[in-house]
Amino acid sequence: MNKKNNLGWNLDNSYTRLPKTFFSKINPNPIRSPKLIIFNDTLSSSLGLDVGELKKYEGVDILAGNDLPEGSLPIAQAYAGHQFGHFTMLGDGRALLIGEQITPSGDRFDIQLKGSGKTPYSRGGDGRATLGPMLREYIISEAMYALGIPTTRSLSVVKTGESVIRETDLPGAVLTRVAASHIRVGTFQYVAGLGKVEGLKVLADYTIDRHFPHIADENNRYLFLLQEVVNRQADLISKWQQVGFIHGVMNTDNMTISGETIDYGPCAFMDVYDPSAVFSSIDMQGRYAYGNQPPIAGWNLARLAEALLPLLHDDPEQAVGLAQEVVSHFPERYERNWLSGMRGKLGLFNEETEDKVLVDALLRLMEKHEADYTNTFRAITLDKLDDQEWFHTPEFTQWFEKWLARRNRQPESKPDSQQLMQRSNPAIIPRNHRVEEALEAAVENGDYHVMDKLLKVLTNPYAYSPEQEVYAELPPKSFCGYQTFCGT
Ligand code: AMP
Ligand code: MG
């Protein structure tokens, strides 16, 4: 393959300098007739890439995996993971890291092609991805970014011109994913499983250098590493809960060390508030239901702690004690972040001990009345209490009066409080029926306007603009029972 560098690529390959067991060198599989379907101009510019040139024939060849940029040393990363609680050896089965882009401001981002063909970790899979799920990842990851939630991002989706065999023949596609890194809890599990403390140390030091350089000189820096991941995940999951995001497949291989949301397979946004909400067709037991996400994150972090044990203390018992102590703080840290976010959603600046009771009472009422989570906060923010029938019930009126009284017990003015609510409550989320509508137009009819319009309004979810109103509407009744699929 030729390597091109007139497009702003500035690649390093630090991961390839780690032990050889951590990855496999492999080129992407060329595809027949690449066609650029969607491209992220603003992300591209922030990476220092030449937007205009990348969208041209030669640039698209790179985004398709038909060509490599100069400086690229493509690899598939090895990792393991607990999938629905069962430990499995995995690895990038359909993805390739083509390099780490160093941006003009000096930041480092993994550039990964997803759907680029088989790798040594494909385990019988075809290494391919289909257009619908790749566009879905593009839409939802970019919506998450706009919501202010740490996430991997999407640079482009290219249609391959080849069909991929699933239950039916589907159009193939390659997504370019951009991430702070692709180091996962499962990466540590994999390296720990190799059984050499030296290897684990190399991975941990690499991770510290890349994501947490401020702890490099700490005495027990590996314990600090665990602490940092606990903190980032507590922050991330509390943000998911605040917007009603359900990841759907929180396996340990789908949990990053950087604290970014990764792997937009069967995820979905909850409409009616329901802690037991599950959309994924493969999550029969509801392991990854909305209300289970915080404890599952805690469980995953315990798996990370286990992997790190040999680095924490020479004495195994003391190592366990140290790890348990750090992981045990996850629930309270999560709760603190969550409550602080929920205060914002209710326009509260200061703290009172009864705030959690107030928030919980509202959530219980929403659950009882099967109220839409996003639109309830939206209505309270906009003071539109004619919006929903259940707002007229005595129990809601009682709650509302308590909230008004609580809001008055702070020095900030009502307009300030309302502004805080607007910043904290998205006017719109990527509603499942809107996402499906956009995907259907794109995949079935080659019409990308519906998706473009959706992406545009999702760019500023806190705008409360008139054109967002229609996107806040609930799905028609016929849309009930929505299910998501992994898109593998
Ligand atoms: P996921 O459920 O997307 O997190 O994927 C779990 C594992 O299956 C990862 O190791 C993926 O790389 C792998 N995988 C998913 N789809 C495919 C595919 N079509 N071909 C090969 N491997 C795949
Ligand atoms: Mg995955």
Side-chain angles (χ1 to χ4, degrees):
M1 283 186 184
N2 293 326
K3 297 197 174 176
K4 305 209 166 61
N5 191 29
N6 51 357
L7 313 173
W9 291 103
N10 180 24
L11 294 177
D12 186 25
N13 305 278
S14 63
Y15 209 83
T16 66
R17 298 191 283 275
L18 297 181
K20 302 244 167 314
T21 43
F22 289 14
F23 58 87
S24 295
K25 286 188 180 169
I26 180 165
N27 279 329
N29 268 319
I31 54 172
R32 195 184 305 145
S33 43
K35 183 172 173 236
L36 186 62
I37 299 299
I38 187 156
F39 185 80
N40 196 331
D41 287 18
T42 45
L43 175 59
S44 176
S45 308
S46 72
L47 289 169
L49 297 170
D50 186 330
V51 178
E53 290 297 315
L54 253 183
K55 288 201 234 183
K56 289 183 189 161
Y57 178 70
E58 293 193 342
V60 174
D61 259 355
I62 291 173
L63 303 172
N66 280 2
D67 214 338
L68 288 170
E70 194 176 309
S72 167
L73 281 177
I75 56 167
Q77 290 176 316
Y79 52 86
H82 274 91
Q83 298 192 300
F84 290 91
H86 304 285
F87 187 75
T88 324
M89 289 310 241
L90 298 159
D92 291 331
R94 56 165 174 173
L96 277 188
L97 177 62
I98 62 169
E100 299 146 19
Q101 173 76 358
I102 311 297
T103 70
S105 47
D107 295 319
R108 178 183 297 262
F109 287 100
D110 275 9
I111 308 291
Q112 196 196 55
L113 303 181
K114 186 166 169 183
S116 54
K118 280 191 191 165
T119 77
Y121 314 110
S122 295
R123 299 176 301 151
D126 59 5
R128 291 299 182 192
T130 56
L131 182 60
M134 293 307 102
L135 290 177
R136 196 164 187 280
E137 169 153 352
Y138 189 107
I139 297 168
I140 301 187
S141 62
E142 287 306 302
M144 291 285 273
Y145 175 76
L147 283 163
I149 300 175
T151 176
T152 65
R153 298 195 62 189
S154 300
L155 182 63
S156 61
V157 175
V158 170
K159 211 170 148 180
T160 62
E162 295 169 5
S163 49
V164 173
I165 305 160
R166 295 291 180 259
E167 275 116 66
T168 53
D169 278 11
L170 296 170
V174 176
L175 171 97
T176 299
R177 175 159 75 185
V178 178
S181 86
H182 284 84
I183 306 168
R184 307 143 191 267
V185 169
T187 316
F188 278 90
Q189 290 181 292
Y190 167 78
V191 173
L194 297 175
K196 299 235 166 60
V197 181
E198 266 322 300
L200 198 55
K201 213 173 244 180
V202 170
L203 179 64
D205 284 333
Y206 175 84
T207 305
I208 289 170
D209 182 45
R210 190 154 172 186
H211 294 299
F212 313 104
H214 59 283
I215 62 166
D217 296 326
E218 293 293 343
N219 253 344
N220 193 347
R221 61 183 182 277
Y222 305 120
L223 196 62
F224 275 85
L225 168 62
L226 181 61
Q227 180 70 65
E228 290 287 338
V229 183
V230 165
N231 292 350
R232 291 215 185 166
Q233 287 295 335
D235 181 44
L236 178 67
I237 309 296
S238 72
K239 290 197 160 105
W240 287 1
Q241 299 305 95
Q242 283 159 41
V243 297
F245 174 77
I246 306 175
H247 183 281
V249 61
M250 283 177 74
N251 297 334
T252 55
D253 49 298
N254 292 335
M255 184 183 251
T256 60
I257 297 298
S258 67
E260 288 182 340
T261 311
I262 196 171
D263 223 320
Y264 291 89
C267 63
F269 277 77
M270 173 173 71
D271 31 41
V272 167
Y273 176 78
D274 175 11
S276 69
V278 172
F279 291 99
S280 170
S281 58
I282 58 166
D283 192 2
M284 314 291 205
Q285 318 290 324
R287 179 181 169 92
Y288 299 137
Y290 172 71
N292 281 355
Q293 295 189 128
I296 282 291
W299 191 89
N300 288 351
L301 290 164
R303 306 289 77 73
L304 174 66
E306 273 167 12
L308 289 172
L309 283 179
L311 301 182
L312 300 184
H313 204 284
D314 290 339
D315 172 37
E317 230 168 86
Q318 292 204 44
V320 170
L322 289 169
Q324 272 174 348
E325 161 72 13
V326 170
V327 175
S328 72
H329 290 302
F330 175 78
E332 75 195 41
R333 175 116 193 171
Y334 160 76
E335 182 85 9
R336 199 166 357 114
N337 285 340
W338 174 80
L339 189 55
S340 141
M342 296 309 277
R343 281 197 183 96
K345 285 172 87 71
L346 291 178
L348 305 176
F349 291 90
N350 62 352
E351 296 181 13
E352 281 189 14
T353 42
E354 292 294 290
D355 288 344
K356 182 165 161 33
V357 177
L358 187 73
V359 174
D360 281 343
L362 177 63
L363 294 177
R364 262 202 314 278
L365 287 178
M366 277 189 205
E367 187 177 1
K368 179 174 167 192
H369 293 278
E370 299 182 3
D372 183 84
Y373 180 75
T374 306
N375 283 2
T376 296
F377 282 107
R378 185 180 198 272
I380 300 173
T381 301
L382 294 173
D383 227 345
K384 274 191 164 172
L385 295 176
D386 288 330
D387 241 33
Q388 299 178 31
E389 241 173 69
W390 74 285
F391 288 156
H392 302 289
T393 60
E395 45 190 5
F396 180 78
T397 312
Q398 212 179 26
W399 178 88
F400 192 75
E401 275 163 15
K402 268 196 193 143
W403 169 66
L404 283 180
R406 166 65 184 90
R407 194 162 75 152
N408 287 335
R409 289 197 298 275
Q410 59 183 1
E412 287 80 5
S413 67
K414 191 180 162 194
D416 282 350
S417 166
Q418 226 156 7
Q419 272 181 17
L420 173 62
M421 291 173 81
Q422 282 211 12
R423 291 197 302 275
S424 313
N425 294 307
I428 55 158
I429 49 163
R431 289 201 179 267
N432 303 319
H433 67 295
R434 288 291 182 186
V435 174
E436 287 304 317
E437 171 190 69
L439 295 181
E440 193 179 312
V443 178
E444 306 293 328
N445 309 324
D447 168 7
Y448 305 110
H449 291 102
V450 187
M451 178 172 69
D452 289 343
K453 264 178 74 181
L454 176 63
L455 277 167
K456 192 156 172 265
V457 289
L458 289 171
T459 307
N460 190 355
Y462 304 99
Y464 286 81
S465 63
E467 63 269 26
Q468 287 180 330
E469 259 163 51
V470 62
Y471 289 90
E473 285 171 13
L474 299 184
K477 282 269 178 281
S478 58
F479 201 76
C480 264
Y482 178 63
Q483 274 206 325
T484 56
F485 301 88
C486 275
T488 48

